Amino acid sequence: MPGIWTEGLGESAIGLVLRAFARSGDIWAAQTDLLCALKERFDAEGINLVYPQHELTVESGPLPGPAD
């Protein structure tokens, strides 16, 4: 049965499952069309897909040597 379900919540993601039907010869075109339509709708609604960011602080001093 076609539909969309929430699969889970991650640290910076909402996992969704989307099920649709297409003829076997149309699967790649249907997937591409669906993903493009989703992206366009997200853009229209102001929904941004962001990646987690980490901050790295470098302190002055000697670099540590290889582990013993």
Coordinates of all heavy atoms in Angstrom, one line a residue:
M1 N 0.8 -1.2 0.0 CA 0.0 0.0 0.0 C 0.9 1.2 0.0 O 1.8 1.4 0.8 CB -0.9 0.0 1.2 CG -1.7 1.2 1.4 SD -2.8 1.1 2.9 CE -4.3 0.7 2.0
P2 N 0.7 2.2 -0.9 CA 1.5 3.4 -0.9 C 1.3 4.3 0.3 O 0.2 4.3 0.9 CB 1.0 4.2 -2.2 CG 0.3 3.2 -3.0 CD -0.2 2.1 -2.0
G3 N 2.3 5.0 0.7 CA 2.2 5.9 1.9 C 3.5 6.4 2.4 O 4.6 6.1 1.8
I4 N 3.5 7.2 3.4 CA 4.7 7.8 4.0 C 4.5 7.6 5.5 O 3.5 7.8 6.1 CB 4.8 9.3 3.7 CG1 4.9 9.5 2.3 CG2 6.0 9.9 4.5 CD1 4.9 11.0 1.9
W5 N 5.6 7.0 6.1 CA 5.6 6.8 7.6 C 6.9 7.4 8.2 O 7.9 7.5 7.5 CB 5.6 5.3 7.9 CG 4.4 4.6 7.4 CD1 3.3 4.4 8.1 CD2 4.2 4.0 6.1 NE1 2.3 3.7 7.3 CE2 2.9 3.5 6.0 CE3 4.9 3.9 4.9 CZ2 2.3 2.9 4.9 CZ3 4.4 3.3 3.8 CH2 3.1 2.8 3.8
T6 N 6.8 7.8 9.5 CA 7.9 8.2 10.2 C 8.6 7.0 10.7 O 8.0 6.1 11.4 CB 7.5 9.1 11.4 OG1 6.8 10.2 10.9 CG2 8.7 9.6 12.1
E7 N 9.9 6.9 10.4 CA 10.7 5.7 10.8 C 11.4 5.9 12.2 O 11.6 5.0 12.9 CB 11.7 5.4 9.7 CG 12.6 4.2 10.0 CD 13.5 3.9 8.9 OE1 14.3 4.8 8.5 OE2 13.5 2.7 8.4
G8 N 11.8 7.2 12.4 CA 12.5 7.4 13.7 C 13.0 8.8 13.7 O 13.0 9.6 12.7
L9 N 13.5 9.2 14.9 CA 14.1 10.5 15.0 C 15.6 10.4 15.4 O 15.9 9.6 16.3 CB 13.4 11.3 16.2 CG 11.9 11.6 16.0 CD1 11.3 12.2 17.3 CD2 11.6 12.4 14.8
G10 N 16.4 11.1 14.6 CA 17.8 11.0 14.9 C 18.3 12.3 15.5 O 17.6 13.2 15.8
E11 N 19.6 12.3 15.7 CA 20.3 13.5 16.3 C 20.0 14.8 15.5 O 19.7 15.8 16.0 CB 21.8 13.3 16.4 CG 22.5 14.4 17.2 CD 24.0 14.1 17.3 OE1 24.3 12.9 17.6 OE2 24.7 15.1 17.2
S12 N 20.0 14.6 14.2 CA 19.7 15.8 13.3 C 18.9 15.4 12.1 O 19.1 15.8 11.0 CB 21.0 16.5 12.9 OG 21.8 15.5 12.1
A13 N 18.0 14.4 12.3 CA 17.2 13.9 11.2 C 15.8 13.4 11.6 O 15.7 13.0 12.8 CB 18.0 12.8 10.5
I14 N 14.9 13.4 10.7 CA 13.7 12.7 10.9 C 13.6 11.6 9.8 O 13.6 12.0 8.6 CB 12.5 13.6 10.8 CG1 12.5 14.7 11.8 CG2 11.2 12.8 10.8 CD1 11.5 15.8 11.7
G15 N 13.7 10.4 10.1 CA 13.7 9.3 9.2 C 12.3 9.0 8.6 O 11.4 8.8 9.4
L16 N 12.1 9.0 7.3 CA 10.8 8.8 6.7 C 10.9 7.6 5.8 O 12.0 7.3 5.2 CB 10.4 10.0 5.9 CG 10.2 11.3 6.6 CD1 9.8 12.4 5.7 CD2 9.1 11.2 7.7
V17 N 9.9 6.8 5.7 CA 9.8 5.7 4.7 C 8.7 6.1 3.8 O 7.6 6.5 4.2 CB 9.4 4.4 5.4 CG1 9.1 3.3 4.4 CG2 10.5 4.0 6.4
L18 N 9.0 6.1 2.5 CA 8.0 6.4 1.5 C 7.8 5.2 0.6 O 8.8 4.6 0.1 CB 8.5 7.6 0.6 CG 7.5 8.1 -0.4 CD1 7.6 9.6 -0.4 CD2 7.7 7.5 -1.7
R19 N 6.6 4.7 0.4 CA 6.3 3.6 -0.5 C 5.4 4.0 -1.6 O 4.4 4.6 -1.4 CB 5.7 2.5 0.3 CG 5.5 1.2 -0.5 CD 4.9 0.1 0.3 NE 5.8 -0.3 1.3 CZ 5.4 -1.1 2.3 NH1 4.2 -1.5 2.4 NH2 6.3 -1.5 3.2
A20 N 5.8 3.7 -2.8 CA 5.1 4.0 -4.0 C 5.2 2.9 -5.0 O 6.0 2.0 -4.8 CB 5.6 5.3 -4.6
F21 N 4.3 2.9 -6.0 CA 4.4 1.9 -7.0 C 4.7 2.5 -8.4 O 4.2 3.6 -8.7 CB 3.0 1.1 -7.1 CG 2.8 0.3 -5.8 CD1 1.9 0.8 -4.9 CD2 3.4 -0.9 -5.6 CE1 1.6 0.1 -3.7 CE2 3.2 -1.6 -4.4 CZ 2.3 -1.1 -3.5
A22 N 5.4 1.7 -9.2 CA 5.7 2.1 -10.5 C 6.0 0.9 -11.4 O 6.4 -0.2 -10.8 CB 6.9 3.1 -10.6
R23 N 5.8 1.0 -12.6 CA 6.2 -0.1 -13.5 C 7.7 -0.3 -13.4 O 8.5 0.7 -13.3 CB 5.8 0.1 -14.9 CG 4.3 0.1 -15.1 CD 3.9 0.3 -16.6 NE 2.5 0.3 -16.7 CZ 1.8 1.1 -17.4 NH1 2.4 2.1 -18.1 NH2 0.5 1.0 -17.5
S24 N 8.2 -1.6 -13.6 CA 9.6 -1.8 -13.4 C 10.5 -1.0 -14.4 O 11.6 -0.6 -14.0 CB 9.9 -3.3 -13.6 OG 9.5 -3.8 -14.9
G25 N 10.0 -0.7 -15.6 CA 10.7 0.1 -16.5 C 10.8 1.5 -16.2 O 11.5 2.3 -16.8
D26 N 9.9 2.0 -15.3 CA 9.8 3.4 -15.0 C 10.3 3.7 -13.6 O 10.2 4.9 -13.1 CB 8.3 3.8 -15.0 CG 7.7 3.7 -16.4 OD1 8.4 3.7 -17.4 OD2 6.5 3.4 -16.4
I27 N 10.9 2.8 -12.9 CA 11.3 3.0 -11.5 C 12.3 4.2 -11.4 O 12.1 5.0 -10.5 CB 11.9 1.7 -10.9 CG1 10.8 0.7 -10.7 CG2 12.6 2.0 -9.6 CD1 11.2 -0.6 -10.1
W28 N 13.4 4.2 -12.2 CA 14.4 5.3 -12.0 C 13.8 6.6 -12.3 O 14.1 7.6 -11.6 CB 15.6 5.0 -12.8 CG 16.3 3.7 -12.4 CD1 16.4 2.6 -13.1 CD2 16.9 3.5 -11.1 NE1 17.1 1.6 -12.3 CE2 17.4 2.2 -11.1 CE3 17.1 4.3 -9.9 CZ2 18.1 1.6 -10.0 CZ3 17.7 3.7 -8.8 CH2 18.2 2.4 -8.9
A29 N 13.0 6.7 -13.4 CA 12.4 8.0 -13.7 C 11.4 8.4 -12.6 O 11.3 9.6 -12.2 CB 11.7 7.9 -15.1
A30 N 10.6 7.5 -12.1 CA 9.6 7.8 -11.1 C 10.4 8.2 -9.8 O 9.9 9.2 -9.2 CB 8.8 6.6 -10.8
Q31 N 11.5 7.6 -9.4 CA 12.2 8.0 -8.2 C 12.8 9.4 -8.4 O 12.7 10.2 -7.5 CB 13.3 7.0 -8.0 CG 14.2 7.3 -6.8 CD 15.3 6.3 -6.5 OE1 15.1 5.1 -6.7 NE2 16.4 6.8 -5.9
T32 N 13.4 9.6 -9.6 CA 14.0 11.0 -9.8 C 12.9 12.0 -9.8 O 13.1 13.1 -9.2 CB 14.7 11.0 -11.2 OG1 15.7 10.0 -11.2 CG2 15.2 12.3 -11.5
D33 N 11.8 11.8 -10.4 CA 10.7 12.8 -10.4 C 10.2 13.0 -9.0 O 9.9 14.2 -8.6 CB 9.5 12.3 -11.3 CG 9.9 12.3 -12.8 OD1 10.9 12.9 -13.2 OD2 9.1 11.7 -13.6
L34 N 10.0 12.0 -8.2 CA 9.5 12.1 -6.9 C 10.5 12.9 -6.0 O 10.1 13.8 -5.3 CB 9.3 10.7 -6.2 CG 8.8 10.7 -4.8 CD1 7.5 11.4 -4.7 CD2 8.7 9.3 -4.3
L35 N 11.8 12.6 -6.1 CA 12.8 13.3 -5.3 C 12.9 14.8 -5.7 O 13.0 15.7 -4.9 CB 14.2 12.6 -5.4 CG 14.3 11.3 -4.7 CD1 15.6 10.6 -5.0 CD2 14.0 11.4 -3.2
C36 N 12.8 15.1 -7.0 CA 12.8 16.5 -7.5 C 11.6 17.2 -7.0 O 11.7 18.3 -6.5 CB 12.9 16.5 -9.0 SG 14.5 16.1 -9.6
A37 N 10.4 16.6 -7.0 CA 9.2 17.2 -6.5 C 9.3 17.5 -5.0 O 8.9 18.5 -4.5 CB 8.0 16.3 -6.8
L38 N 9.8 16.5 -4.2 CA 10.0 16.7 -2.8 C 10.9 17.9 -2.5 O 10.7 18.7 -1.7 CB 10.6 15.4 -2.1 CG 9.6 14.3 -1.9 CD1 10.3 13.1 -1.5 CD2 8.5 14.7 -0.9
K39 N 12.1 17.9 -3.2 CA 13.0 19.0 -3.0 C 12.4 20.4 -3.4 O 12.5 21.4 -2.6 CB 14.3 18.8 -3.9 CG 15.3 19.9 -3.9 CD 15.9 20.0 -2.5 CE 17.1 21.0 -2.5 NZ 17.0 22.2 -1.7
E40 N 11.7 20.4 -4.5 CA 11.0 21.7 -4.8 C 10.0 22.1 -3.8 O 9.9 23.3 -3.4 CB 10.3 21.5 -6.2 CG 11.3 21.5 -7.4 CD 10.7 21.1 -8.7 OE1 9.4 21.1 -8.8 OE2 11.4 21.0 -9.7
R41 N 9.2 21.2 -3.3 CA 8.2 21.5 -2.2 C 8.9 21.9 -0.9 O 8.5 22.9 -0.3 CB 7.3 20.3 -2.0 CG 6.3 20.5 -0.9 CD 5.3 21.6 -1.4 NE 4.3 21.9 -0.4 CZ 3.1 21.4 -0.3 NH1 2.7 20.5 -1.2 NH2 2.3 21.7 0.7
F42 N 10.0 21.2 -0.5 CA 10.7 21.7 0.6 C 11.2 23.1 0.5 O 11.1 23.9 1.4 CB 11.9 20.7 0.9 CG 11.6 19.4 1.6 CD1 10.3 19.0 1.7 CD2 12.6 18.7 2.2 CE1 9.9 17.8 2.3 CE2 12.3 17.5 2.9 CZ 11.0 17.1 2.9
D43 N 11.8 23.4 -0.7 CA 12.3 24.8 -1.0 C 11.1 25.8 -0.9 O 11.3 26.8 -0.3 CB 12.9 24.8 -2.4 CG 14.3 24.1 -2.4 OD1 14.8 23.8 -1.4 OD2 14.7 23.9 -3.6
A44 N 10.0 25.4 -1.5 CA 8.8 26.3 -1.4 C 8.3 26.6 0.0 O 7.8 27.7 0.3 CB 7.7 25.8 -2.3
E45 N 8.5 25.6 0.9 CA 8.0 25.7 2.2 C 9.1 26.2 3.2 O 8.9 26.3 4.4 CB 7.5 24.3 2.7 CG 6.3 23.8 2.0 CD 5.1 24.6 2.2 OE1 4.9 25.2 3.2 OE2 4.2 24.6 1.3
G46 N 10.3 26.5 2.6 CA 11.4 27.0 3.4 C 12.0 25.9 4.3 O 12.6 26.2 5.3
I47 N 11.9 24.7 3.9 CA 12.6 23.6 4.7 C 13.9 23.3 4.1 O 14.1 23.0 2.9 CB 11.7 22.3 4.6 CG1 10.3 22.5 5.1 CG2 12.4 21.1 5.3 CD1 9.3 21.4 4.9
N48 N 15.0 23.5 5.0 CA 16.3 23.3 4.6 C 16.9 22.0 5.1 O 16.6 21.6 6.2 CB 17.2 24.4 5.1 CG 16.8 25.8 4.6 OD1 16.6 25.9 3.4 ND2 16.8 26.8 5.4
L49 N 17.6 21.3 4.2 CA 18.3 20.1 4.6 C 19.7 20.4 5.0 O 20.5 20.8 4.1 CB 18.3 19.1 3.4 CG 16.9 18.7 2.9 CD1 17.0 17.8 1.7 CD2 16.1 18.0 4.0
V50 N 20.0 20.4 6.3 CA 21.3 20.8 6.8 C 22.1 19.6 7.3 O 21.5 18.6 7.6 CB 21.2 21.9 7.9 CG1 20.6 23.1 7.4 CG2 20.4 21.3 9.1
Y51 N 23.4 19.7 7.3 CA 24.3 18.7 7.8 C 24.8 19.1 9.2 O 25.0 20.3 9.4 CB 25.4 18.5 6.8 CG 25.0 18.0 5.5 CD1 24.8 18.9 4.4 CD2 24.8 16.6 5.3 CE1 24.4 18.4 3.2 CE2 24.4 16.2 4.0 CZ 24.2 17.1 3.0 OH 23.8 16.6 1.8
P52 N 25.0 18.1 10.0 CA 25.5 18.4 11.4 C 26.9 19.1 11.2 O 27.7 18.7 10.3 CB 25.6 17.1 12.1 CG 24.9 16.1 11.2 CD 24.7 16.7 9.9
Q53 N 27.2 20.0 12.1 CA 28.4 20.7 12.0 C 29.1 20.5 13.4 O 28.5 20.5 14.4 CB 28.3 22.2 11.8 CG 27.6 22.5 10.4 CD 27.5 23.9 10.1 OE1 27.9 24.8 10.9 NE2 26.8 24.3 9.0
H54 N 30.4 20.4 13.4 CA 31.2 20.2 14.6 C 32.3 21.3 14.6 O 32.8 21.7 13.6 CB 31.9 18.9 14.6 CG 30.9 17.7 14.6 ND1 30.3 17.3 15.7 CD2 30.4 17.0 13.6 CE1 29.5 16.3 15.4 NE2 29.5 16.1 14.1
E55 N 32.6 21.8 15.8 CA 33.6 22.8 16.0 C 34.9 22.2 16.4 O 34.9 21.4 17.4 CB 33.1 23.9 17.0 CG 34.1 25.0 17.1 CD 33.6 26.1 18.0 OE1 32.4 26.4 17.9 OE2 34.3 26.6 18.9
L56 N 36.0 22.5 15.8 CA 37.3 22.0 16.2 C 38.1 23.2 16.7 O 38.3 24.2 16.0 CB 38.0 21.4 15.0 CG 39.4 20.8 15.1 CD1 39.4 19.7 16.1 CD2 39.9 20.4 13.8
T57 N 38.7 23.0 17.9 CA 39.5 24.1 18.4 C 40.9 23.6 18.5 O 41.2 22.5 19.0 CB 39.1 24.4 19.9 OG1 37.7 24.8 19.8 CG2 39.9 25.5 20.5
V58 N 41.9 24.4 17.9 CA 43.3 24.0 17.8 C 44.0 24.9 18.8 O 43.9 26.1 18.7 CB 43.9 24.2 16.4 CG1 45.3 23.8 16.4 CG2 43.1 23.3 15.4
E59 N 44.7 24.3 19.8 CA 45.4 25.1 20.8 C 46.9 25.0 20.4 O 47.4 24.1 19.8 CB 45.2 24.4 22.2 CG 43.8 24.5 22.6 CD 43.6 23.9 24.0 OE1 44.6 23.5 24.6 OE2 42.4 23.8 24.4
S60 N 47.6 26.1 20.7 CA 49.0 26.1 20.4 C 49.8 25.2 21.3 O 49.3 24.8 22.4 CB 49.6 27.6 20.6 OG 49.4 28.0 21.9
G61 N 50.9 24.8 20.9 CA 51.8 23.9 21.6 C 52.2 22.7 20.8 O 51.8 22.6 19.6
P62 N 53.1 21.8 21.3 CA 53.6 20.7 20.5 C 52.5 19.7 20.2 O 51.5 19.5 21.0 CB 54.7 20.1 21.4 CG 54.3 20.5 22.8 CD 53.6 21.8 22.7
L63 N 52.6 19.1 19.0 CA 51.7 18.0 18.7 C 52.0 16.8 19.5 O 53.2 16.5 19.7 CB 51.7 17.8 17.2 CG 51.3 18.9 16.3 CD1 51.5 18.5 14.8 CD2 49.8 19.2 16.5
P64 N 51.0 16.0 19.8 CA 51.3 14.8 20.5 C 52.0 13.8 19.6 O 51.8 13.8 18.4 CB 49.9 14.2 20.9 CG 49.0 14.9 20.0 CD 49.6 16.2 19.6
G65 N 52.9 13.0 20.2 CA 53.6 11.9 19.4 C 52.7 10.7 19.2 O 51.6 10.6 19.7
P66 N 53.3 9.7 18.5 CA 52.5 8.5 18.3 C 52.3 7.8 19.6 O 53.0 7.9 20.5 CB 53.5 7.7 17.4 CG 54.8 8.3 17.5 CD 54.6 9.7 17.9
A67 N 51.2 7.0 19.6 CA 50.8 6.3 20.8 C 51.8 5.2 21.1 O 52.3 4.6 20.2 CB 49.4 5.7 20.7
D68 N 52.1 5.0 22.4 CA 53.1 3.9 22.7 C 52.4 2.6 22.9 O 51.3 2.4 23.3 CB 53.8 4.3 24.0 CG 54.7 5.5 23.9 OD1 55.3 5.6 22.8 OD2 54.8 6.3 24.8

